[in-house]
Amino acid sequence: MIDNKSEVFMKALGISCGDFISVFGNSEEQLYERLFISDTDISVNIIDESEIEKNEVSANFTAFDKLTKMQSLVVYNSIEAFKKRSGIDINEDIGFASGCEYGCIKSLAYVNSRINEKGLRGVGVKDAMNCIPCAASSRTAIISGLTGSNIVNYDGITSSLDSIIFAADRIGLGKNKVFAVAGADEFDPLIENINSSMKEHKYCEGAASIILHTLDYKSECYLSGIGKSFSPEGNYKKAISTAIRKAMSGDETTYRKIDLVIFGTNGSNDINTIFCEALNEIFPEQSMPYLSAEEIFGEVAGADGILSVIIAMKIFKEQKLALKCKWTADKIITSEINNILIADIDISGQVSCIIVSNTLKGEKK
Amino acid sequence: MNKRKRVVVTGLGVISQAGNNIKDFHRNIIDGKKPYCGTFLPQRITGSYCTNYGMLDEESVYKTASERGIDLNSIDAGKCAKLAILSADEAIKDSGLKINDENTDSVSVLIGSAFGENYSYDNFSSPDNTIYRNNDISASVARYIGASGDIFTNLNACSAGNISIAYGYELICSGRAEVAIVGAADVYSDIIYGGFTRVKILSKERTMPFDENRDGIIICEGAGCMILEDYENAVKRNAHIYCEILGVGMSNDAFNLLAPDPDGKGAEKAIIAALKEADCQPEDVDYISLHGTGTQANDICESIAIRKVFGESSKNIYASSLKGLMGHNLGSASLLSSISCALTIQNGIIPFTANTKDIIPECPVDLVIGESVKTNVDIAMNNAFAFGGCNCIVIYSKCK
């Protein structure tokens, strides 16, 4: 058995330059409003493609499918912001890791309809290319010239956290210094046929990205813990507890006190209850505030984890909790928000967890 | 960070046209035989210039499962997941590994695929159709074997198998896992067949890697699995060790979705990264298991990359591509060729490249054709260069 305390701690890594596109918009001001001012629920699930294309960069993406457009735009923006911030000029050796839950679902449905009508003649070259599961990530890497690596995972709602964890593993081993990490998903009604629990969620499309890097570069916040677990017997609580405990054995320079939890699931709402029970067991003396990214962005499964990081970055900056926060016990006043636990629980039983920190021990902000 | 650990291969499992177990697979790739071919009967896609597709013989797959006590019909999972489970089952039994409460948290499952369970969209409009999630490929294997560690499903086209191996290796190196069950699987889909027909990447008849008359790929179904373990643990439990993984290298062409970088820069970068991590000089490599798809573009680009890295020593390196015999197993191709590398190192026989007769002048290596070659192989390199430009190299060696 791995001894988490001594064997798997990780050195903190820097996080910077988050970018997102969502059904309510893509600006910092709109995010501030969603988090701290507006109490309204998400009412749409689709992003108007003209909103994506009106950006002068993404105006060049019109030939691509929507998934590629969304992901390419956010990654491009993150990379350019990072280059400005850090002074690096070239994209060589920047790794790229991305995640989806459903991926090219619209293209798959479309091409199959065409095959039903016209057989082989129904398969257009461009449409067929859109059906390659790694097409969006590969095109994103081509547009931004990312040659370090290009790995796409389809780990359900944990996919974007798993991209972060993959990138962290590679940076930790010294293989790369900088990674662009992204997640994205499109909306299609077919989703409810694939996962019936989605009827309980507000499924939306969107995309998000961050840059993960060594501490050689200035950071907006830090990745200070990672943990994953799976329960073969479907015991969600056990998997949640194991993943959180693994993440809590993270960087020795951070505090151990968690100030807020952001979590997401694509399973039934029962999992929310189980998650809170797990939190109470792990943090028995603390009424823990918690929030889900779904309440802010809608459920964008492939991007849920990175959207949660973007929420965390905003909360660190503003040092206040989101309006939609709940508590595991009594509501308490939170004075300082320094460590946020982010967890995603997939319907398969897979749980991925990270801890992001505003400061490292001793650091002043 | 912890001192990097040594990683060894202790178990192998396979479902392929060449064999539904490692013994048959090895014998048949050496002899150039494919006794487990299924019959290809396209339903919706007709009129393709390629009338060939490497189907698995479904009856033999179910028979194999039944002989091992696995009822595939009772497993609620897609076809890729089922093939992955079957190959993982053999690999675990081969390794002698016991997964229990003591070690389950440190056993990771990483399965890759090119198209995953997306074949299940072929009948999406039918009310009886089930669409399977790609995440469930690794989850199903983890559920079947009782693993509770990291699970990760990558869909990185033709590099998916090597990516699973590389990430599994890195998880053990870093101490985040003690065992990694790494695999890959791919099955037939109308979209794959139709799409590849339309982009004219299919061969009319057969795959001929590095041959003057090569004209493309024949797609095949298949699955493979390897058990990777921390060396110390493997030795402690007296496991049979096939070989060691010395290093991996990844890169991305960032060039084109369907074609490799014609200068081979991305491939070159991945090979150099792998050799550096393995602490090997190019001339230390005895055998290269080529990506060797038999397309015009890949075979030239792969030749350029190898020549750039290995230079004059290229001609002294034996090489072969399994794709002549096996066709292109898509995501599982690099897993099957990695299995072939492990068997080559253990047994000292390099499988030949089937169908190839007139080797292209650009090919820099000593391509094994006609018949397999008996020779000692200490260090083998396995190449994978995928659609979209994702490149992944794994270097294996005898375990010393």
Side-chain angles (χ1 to χ4, degrees), chain A residues 7 112 169-170 175 346, chain B residues 2 44 135 167 170 277:
Chain A
E7 290 293 329
N112 271 302
D169 284 331
R170 288 225 107 211
K175 308 268 176 124
D346 189 75
Chain B
N2 300 318
R44 299 185 301 160
N135 184 30
Y167 192 27
E170 289 179 348
E277 180 166 84

Side-chain angles (χ1 to χ4, degrees), chain A residues 155-318:
Chain A
D155 281 349
I157 198 172
T158 65
S159 55
S160 64
L161 285 188
D162 285 354
S163 299
I164 292 175
I165 292 170
F166 174 86
D169 284 331
R170 288 225 107 211
I171 296 174
L173 282 169
K175 308 268 176 124
N176 299 85
K177 285 184 142 192
V178 181
F179 244 93
V181 188
D185 257 310
E186 282 189 84
F187 173 80
D188 190 287
L190 253 187
I191 283 161
E192 288 185 9
N193 294 15
I194 303 169
N195 175 7
S196 57
S197 296
M198 289 314 297
K199 291 185 179 98
E200 298 179 38
H201 297 273
K202 182 67 182 177
Y203 200 87
C204 296
E205 55 193 21
S209 67
I210 54 168
I211 306 294
L212 191 68
H213 51 83
T214 63
L215 297 184
D216 297 325
Y217 306 96
K218 196 158 173 275
S219 313
E220 290 181 53
C221 65
Y222 304 95
L223 177 70
S224 53
I226 58 178
K228 287 176 70 164
S229 185
F230 175 76
S231 171
E233 60 271 13
N235 185 337
Y236 288 109
K237 195 199 273 192
K238 187 175 169 196
I240 291 164
S241 298
T242 304
I244 291 176
R245 289 185 203 283
K246 282 183 181 176
M248 300 272 293
S249 70
D251 189 279
E252 60 188 359
T253 66
T254 63
Y255 298 113
R256 285 291 156 263
K257 182 177 174 293
I258 300 294
D259 303 304
L260 169 68
V261 173
I262 306 175
F263 79 95
T265 182
N266 56 2
S268 79
N269 286 331
D270 292 343
I271 292 180
N272 296 353
T273 309
I274 294 170
F275 188 79
C276 289
E277 284 171 11
L279 283 184
N280 280 330
E281 283 176 16
I282 296 170
F283 306 104
E285 284 162 33
Q286 184 181 355
S287 176
M288 182 68 75
Y290 65 90
L291 173 69
S292 80
E294 182 178 347
E295 291 176 286
I296 308 300
F297 290 99
E299 174 140 332
V300 186
D304 193 272
I306 297 180
L307 289 169
S308 301
V309 173
I310 286 173
I311 289 172
M313 290 165 86
K314 195 67 173 166
I315 286 176
F316 284 148
K317 191 172 167 189
E318 304 297 334

